[in-house]
Amino acid sequence: AAPGVCERTPRSRPLVALLLPGLVRSYAHGAHWVRFCARHAEAYDVRVFLVVWELRGRPENNFVQGADRAADERVDAAKLRAAYPPLEALELVSLEHWTDTDSEGHDGRFRNQWFLVERACALALAALPAAEHIVRARPDLRLSFLPRPLPSPPGSAYLALQEELWGSDCFFYGDAATMRTACSLVRHYDALTAALGYASSEPMMELHLKRCGVPLVHFPRCFCIDRSE
């Protein structure tokens, strides 16, 4: 390095766990995450945790999980590994954990969603105890940017959500301890649906974060969901 210039080494980059829980709707979605990891490689050491149902979904069934269950098409792990950036962990979750309808008769897709979120977070925390930040996204998400640097002094607690809550249940991030709390919603699922009188992901998340006293920071909307094949 030139005199007076501090050369950045790979170890000096913040360690970031990227969680991608959910249904695989298209193997082509992995190309976005390849670009995303390459774009941020200089600033962050990103490790990818892909935790998905063994059942494959379809974009046209985004709000009708029963159609995916009926089709019963299984995910090809080899195709996933070929499509995505190098994976720290890949788990195809058995349908024995799948919920069609919850205990109050609501559509089980919200419980299924948060079950995988917690599972991916727990996997990352166990594998990367030194992770400074954890990012919750999903396989079919497209991010236009990730704030650089992540808005947290070392050791501080925060959860970053977009300025308006709508959409934030599929993309948020924070320090490891705060993310453990935020991602634990499924443990309180029945109490949350009982309090609300219905099942809906973002109202449940908002109530969960409020009850847990999670410290929030906000960012402008910077993502969309890819509905294409």
Side-chain angles (χ1 to χ4, degrees), residues 122-142:
L123 185 60
L125 288 166
L128 299 178
E132 295 178 46
H133 310 279
I134 297 179
V135 178
R136 181 280 202 262
R138 53 188 261 182
D140 58 356
L141 211 66
R142 284 179 173 266

Side-chain angles (χ1 to χ4, degrees), residues 90-110:
L90 168 62
E91 182 181 7
L92 302 185
V93 180
S94 169
L95 292 182
E96 69 183 59
H97 300 293
W98 177 281
T99 298
D100 289 312
T101 305
D102 70 20
S103 60
E104 296 182 5
H106 305 302
D107 187 335
R109 65 190 176 95
F110 302 116

Side-chain angles (χ1 to χ4, degrees), residues 140-178:
D140 58 356
L141 211 66
R142 284 179 173 266
L143 295 180
S144 57
F145 68 90
L146 182 65
R148 299 171 63 157
L150 289 167
S152 172
S156 70
Y158 76 102
L159 183 76
L161 292 169
Q162 69 177 30
E163 291 171 338
E164 295 182 7
L165 183 61
W166 183 254
S168 286
D169 69 322
C170 59
F171 176 58
F172 53 88
Y173 54 90
D175 66 282
T178 302

